[in-house]
């Protein structure tokens, strides 16, 4: 019951927020996952963009500051080396073994 009530509140809020832009497709609130193009066609979104385009076009912000934590150079090198070693071991394990004859 709680899940159904929560879903209905969600549906009501989306319908209220999207108004006439929302499609009448009966599957729109089925729980399916929509691609960006499908969501646009259904009226669930206003457009498809990326963060930089949106910041520039909608908010007149030309340069964004990336606050993504960066790994230290040694940590990046170790990660690359570890991936290469894992690939090497995996590839070696996949190779057919020749039987030793004595």
């Amino acid at each position: 019951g709680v899940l159904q009530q929560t879903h209905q509140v969600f549906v009501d809020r989306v319908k209220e927020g999207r108004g006439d832009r929302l499609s009448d497709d009966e599957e729109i609130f089925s729980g399916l996952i929509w691609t960006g193009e499908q969501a646009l066609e259904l009226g669930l979104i206003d457009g498809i963009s990326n963060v930089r385009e949106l910041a520039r076009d909608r908010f007149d912000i030309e340069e964004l500051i990336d606050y993504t934590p960066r790994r230290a150079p040694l940590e990046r090198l170790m990660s690359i080396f570890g991936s290469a070693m894992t690939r090497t071991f995996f590839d070696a394990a996949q190779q057919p073994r020749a039987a030793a004859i004595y």
Side-chain angles (χ1 to χ4, degrees):
V2 172
L3 185 56
Q4 288 174 336
Q5 183 180 6
T6 303
H7 183 255
Q8 191 56 54
V9 168
F10 171 75
V11 169
D12 293 343
R13 294 299 181 269
V14 172
K15 286 181 177 180
E16 179 183 311
R18 300 303 298 166
D20 292 338
R21 295 173 289 187
L22 201 58
S23 168
D24 290 332
D25 189 320
E26 54 193 55
E27 285 197 323
I28 197 166
F29 295 108
S30 65
L32 294 172
I33 297 173
W34 308 108
T35 65
E37 290 81 10
Q38 291 169 323
L40 186 60
E41 187 176 306
L42 292 167
L44 291 168
I45 60 174
D46 293 327
I48 299 173
S49 187
N50 63 46
V51 173
R52 294 191 190 290
E53 289 174 354
L54 185 64
R56 184 189 63 236
D57 299 344
R58 191 130 189 227
F59 302 105
D60 199 32
I61 298 172
E62 288 297 327
E63 187 174 335
L64 296 179
I65 299 171
D66 184 359
Y67 289 100
T68 305
R70 302 283 183 223
R71 294 188 302 177
L74 182 58
E75 188 179 2
R76 288 195 311 263
L77 181 63
M78 289 172 52
S79 176
I80 292 167
F81 179 71
S83 295
M85 291 298 293
T86 301
R87 265 193 314 275
T88 301
F89 288 132
F90 180 78
D91 290 345
Q94 300 301 315
Q95 296 297 323
R97 303 267 186 231
I101 301 175
Y102 294 96

